[in-house]
Amino acid sequence: MATATTQTNKREAFGSRNVFILSAIGSAVGLGNIWRFPYVAYEGGGGAFLIPYLCALLTAGIPLLFFDYAIGHRFRGSAPLAFRRMHRSAETLGWWQVLICVVISVYYAVIIAWSAMYTWFSAQLTWGPGNENDFFFVDFLQSADVAETGVSTQFVPQVGVPLIVVWLAVIVIMCLGVKKGIGRANMILMPLLTVMFAVLVVQSLFLPGALDGLNAFFTPNWEALADPAVWASAYGHIFFSLSVAFGIMVTYASYLKRKTDLTGSGLVVAFANSGFEILAGIGVFAALGFMAQAQGTEVAGVASSGIGLAFIAFPTIVSQATGGSIIGVLFFGALVFAGVTSLISILEVIVAALQDKLGWSRIRTTLVVSVPLAVISMALFSTTTALSVLDTADAFVNAFGIMAVALIAVIVVAWLLHRLPALKDHLNRRSSFPVGWIWMLLVGALAPLVLGYLFVSELIAKITTPYGGYPAWFLGVFGWGMVISLVILAILLSLLPWSGRSHAKDDVDYDEFLAQEHYDPDPETSAIPVSADEQRGAAS
C-alpha cells in the first residue's frame, strides 16, 4: 500500500451545519411535496394515511437518508467517487445515480419555467375565467399528439424564453460554488419559500368551503390501511420525497466538516420535509374545498395531483376566489423556489462527479455540464410535444431508475460488500442519535423487500399496459430505451480511467488509510488525505 505521508486536497464545504441542513431541506422540498403528497394522502385514506406515511418515514426514509449521509461523509466524494472508494466495482452505482440526475434536470427546469410564467399570469388572470384547461394545453403549451406528429421541433416561445432564463440563473448559482452559490441560494430561497407557503395556507384557510377540503384531507378511512397498495404508495412517496438514491445526499454529505452530527442533521431534514408536506396538504385541500363549493360538487370531484393540480385546478381557484391573484402568485412563486433549490441539488450531483473524475475547476465543469443540458432541455421541452416527453421520461426514470438503483445499492453495500457495520460506526462516531442493529436491519432487509415489491409492481404494470396510451416507438425511445441506456452508460463511465488530476485514490485502500493512527483530519476543513503516489500522479 502506498505510504500516506503528505498533504491534503481540500474539498469544497458548506459554511456551516445549518447551511447544509437548509440545502438538504431545499433538495428534499420540491414540486412533489406541493403537488403530489396531498393527493397521495387523500387517496390513501386521508388522516389514516399518516400511519403508513410515518411508518415509511421512520423505517425506510430516515434509515436510507442516514445511509446516504454515511457513504458521502465517510468516503468524501461525489456519488461515483464515494462508491469507488468503498469498492472499485461499485463505481457504476454512482454513475447510474448521476445519469438519473441528468434526465431529471433536463425536464425539471421546464416545470420551473412553467411555474414562473404562471406566477406572472396569476397577477393578471391571463387565462380568463372558465378557460384554464384550454389555456394551459392549447394556448400556453400548444400541445400536439406524438402519435400524429412524432417528436416535434416546433418552438413555443412562451415556454422557451423563460426556460432560458431558468437555466441562466441556475448556471450562475452553480458557478459560484458550494458555499457562495448553493449554500447562499438556499439560505435565501428556503426562508422565502416557507414564508410564502405559510401565507398561502393562512389565506386558503379563510376561503369559503375550506373546512370541507380539510375534512376530505384529514377524515380517516381506516379500511384503506388494509390495502397493501396504500402502504406501497406511502413507501414509494417517501423514497422520492427525501431525495435518497439520487446521489444528492451522498454529494452534499461529502461537503460537511468532519465533526458534524450526521444523524441529528438527518432527523431535522426528514421531519422538516414531512412538516412541509403536511402544511402543503392543508393549503392545497383548503383551496380545493373552496373550488368544490364554488362548483357545487364534492371535493373528490376536483381533487387531483401533479400538473393537473398546479396548472388547471389552482388557476381555477385563482379565477374564482376573492384575492385570487395573491393566492396564485404565492402558489406558483413557491413552486419556482422549491423547483430551483431542488434543481441545483440535482445538477450538483453531475458537476461534482465530473469534477472528481476529471480534476477540472468548478466553473469549467459547471459550464461543460450545464450548457449541453440546457440545449437538450430547450430542444425537447420548448416544443409542442414537451408534455408527452416529460410525462414518459418522469414515469420511467422514477420507476426504473431511482427505485432500481436504490434497490441494487442497498443489496450491494449490505450483502455483497458487508459495509453496513462500518457505516454504522461512522454515523455513531459523529452523531447525537446513535444507530445500531435495528438501522442495519431496516436498510439491509426491509428496504430491499419494499423496493423490490415496488419495482416488480411497476414493471408488471408498465409491461401489461402501455404507459399513457403512447405509441410503442415513443415508449421505446423515452421510456424503456432511456432506462436501459442509463445502465449501459453508467457501466461505460465507470470503465473510463480517472484523470491524474482527479480526487481518486486508485493506489490506496481508503478504509485502511482512514484506520492509520497518524490520520487526524482537521475538523474545521473538509480535507481528504492524498498519498505520495497520488501527488506524483497529479503533478505529472
Side-chain angles (χ1 to χ4, degrees):
M1 186 181 75
T3 57
T5 54
T6 62
Q7 67 183 51
T8 59
N9 184 4
K10 289 190 176 181
R11 183 175 183 80
E12 286 189 276
F14 286 113
S16 67
R17 176 177 173 239
N18 290 338
V19 176
F20 162 74
I21 288 174
L22 275 178
S23 299
I25 294 172
S27 173
V29 173
L31 302 175
N33 299 68
I34 299 172
W35 75 19
R36 186 176 187 272
F37 171 77
Y39 186 74
V40 169
Y42 169 70
E43 286 285 284
F49 181 77
L50 294 179
I51 294 175
Y53 175 79
L54 287 174
C55 287
L57 175 67
L58 296 174
T59 61
I62 292 175
L64 286 177
L65 193 63
F66 291 172
F67 177 75
D68 277 0
Y69 283 3
I71 292 173
H73 192 256
R74 177 177 177 80
F75 297 105
R76 314 304 287 172
S78 59
L81 180 55
F83 277 104
R84 181 183 179 84
R85 283 176 167 163
M86 187 184 303
H87 195 280
R88 289 188 184 184
S89 61
E91 183 184 338
T92 300
L93 293 172
W95 287 113
W96 194 358
Q97 293 181 347
V98 169
L99 291 169
I100 288 169
C101 288
V102 167
V103 175
I104 294 174
S105 65
V106 167
Y107 69 74
Y108 210 86
V110 78
I111 303 176
I112 301 171
W114 295 349
S115 302
M117 288 301 294
Y118 263 72
T119 306
W120 173 251
F121 293 157
S122 296
Q124 306 175 79
L125 300 180
T126 306
W127 46 76
N131 192 42
E132 296 83 7
N133 188 79
D134 288 343
F135 179 82
F136 178 66
F137 291 107
V138 180
D139 299 333
F140 180 56
L141 295 184
Q142 300 177 17
S143 290
D145 188 349
V146 293
E148 298 177 0
T149 65
V151 179
S152 173
T153 57
Q154 182 181 339
F155 182 69
V156 181
Q158 61 265 32
V159 175
V161 172
L163 182 56
I164 293 173
V165 174
V166 168
W167 275 107
L168 288 175
V170 170
I171 288 171
V172 169
I173 293 171
M174 298 297 296
C175 284
L176 290 173
V178 174
K179 186 175 182 179
K180 294 182 180 179
I182 297 173
R184 192 168 293 173
N186 280 287
M187 288 290 287
I188 296 171
L189 295 179
M190 282 310 299
L192 281 175
L193 170 61
T194 304
V195 170
M196 287 174 64
F197 216 83
V199 173
L200 171 65
V201 170
V202 171
Q203 189 167 3
S204 298
L205 289 173
F206 286 97
L207 292 172
L211 187 59
D212 294 335
L214 294 180
N215 285 335
F217 181 58
F218 283 113
T219 299
N221 174 16
W222 299 112
E223 294 179 1
L225 296 183
D227 185 357
V230 170
W231 289 82
S233 176
Y235 277 89
H237 179 78
I238 282 292
F239 288 132
F240 302 130
S241 177
L242 286 176
S243 296
V244 294
F246 285 71
I248 294 172
M249 294 307 174
V250 171
T251 305
Y252 272 12
S254 74
Y255 298 140
L256 280 171
K257 295 176 181 179
R258 281 290 180 184
K259 292 185 179 179
T260 298
D261 183 354
L262 296 177
T263 58
S265 301
L267 291 175
V268 172
V269 170
F271 286 113
N273 175 71
S274 294
F276 189 92
E277 289 194 317
I278 293 172
L279 182 69
I282 293 171
V284 166
F285 267 84
L288 291 176
F290 161 78
M291 182 178 172
Q293 186 183 87
Q295 296 180 359
T297 186
E298 298 292 323
V299 174
V302 298
S304 61
S305 67
I307 290 171
L309 170 69
F311 298 104
I312 298 172
F314 252 86
T316 303
I317 294 165
V318 171
S319 297
Q320 296 174 348
T322 302
S325 289
I326 298 174
I327 293 176
V329 169
L330 290 171
F331 178 78
F332 290 108
L335 285 183
V336 171
F337 289 166
V340 169
T341 56
S342 294
L343 179 57
I344 59 178
S345 70
I346 293 166
L347 285 172
E348 182 58 23
V349 175
I350 312 166
V351 171
L354 289 184
Q355 202 174 2
D356 280 348
K357 182 106 180 181
L358 303 174
W360 288 352
S361 68
R362 175 78 189 190
I363 294 177
R364 180 184 180 185
T365 311
T366 297
L367 294 177
V368 168
V369 166
S370 301
V371 173
L373 291 181
V375 171
I376 296 170
S377 183
M378 289 289 300
L380 289 175
F381 299 106
S382 61
T383 68
T384 56
T385 52
L387 188 58
S388 299
V389 177
L390 188 156
D391 181 34
T392 304
D394 179 62
F396 277 81
V397 79
N398 278 287
F400 306 117
I402 299 169
M403 202 174 294
V405 75
L407 172 62
I408 294 175
V410 293
I411 290 173
V412 168
V413 174
W415 295 101
L416 300 182
L417 301 181
H418 306 290
R419 292 289 185 154
L420 287 185
L423 295 177
K424 172 184 70 70
D425 292 341
H426 184 83
L427 288 170
N428 288 338
R429 280 196 295 270
R430 294 164 175 83
S431 300
S432 57
F433 178 79
V435 297
W437 66 268
I438 294 178
W439 175 77
M440 291 195 293
L441 183 66
L442 293 174
V443 173
L446 180 64
L449 288 174
V450 174
L451 285 165
Y453 174 81
L454 293 173
F455 179 79
V456 171
S457 299
E458 284 288 341
L459 188 62
I460 293 172
K462 286 185 169 59
I463 288 176
T464 54
T465 305
Y467 178 75
Y470 294 117
W473 68 265
F474 184 77
L475 294 177
V477 174
F478 295 101
W480 300 110
M482 179 196 64
V483 296
I484 293 171
S485 298
L486 294 184
V487 178
I488 295 172
L489 287 173
I491 295 171
L492 293 176
L493 286 170
S494 67
L495 296 176
L496 292 177
W498 287 69
S499 167
R501 297 174 296 177
S502 75
H503 295 154
K505 294 169 53 54
D506 293 340
D507 57 333
V508 175
D509 182 288
Y510 203 65
D511 279 337
E512 290 183 23
F513 193 87
L514 291 178
Q516 294 184 58
E517 293 182 0
H518 64 265
Y519 171 59
D520 184 20
D522 180 0
E524 297 306 317
T525 71
S526 193
I528 63 171
V530 180
S531 71
D533 287 350
E534 186 180 16
Q535 292 177 54
R536 289 191 291 272
S540 63

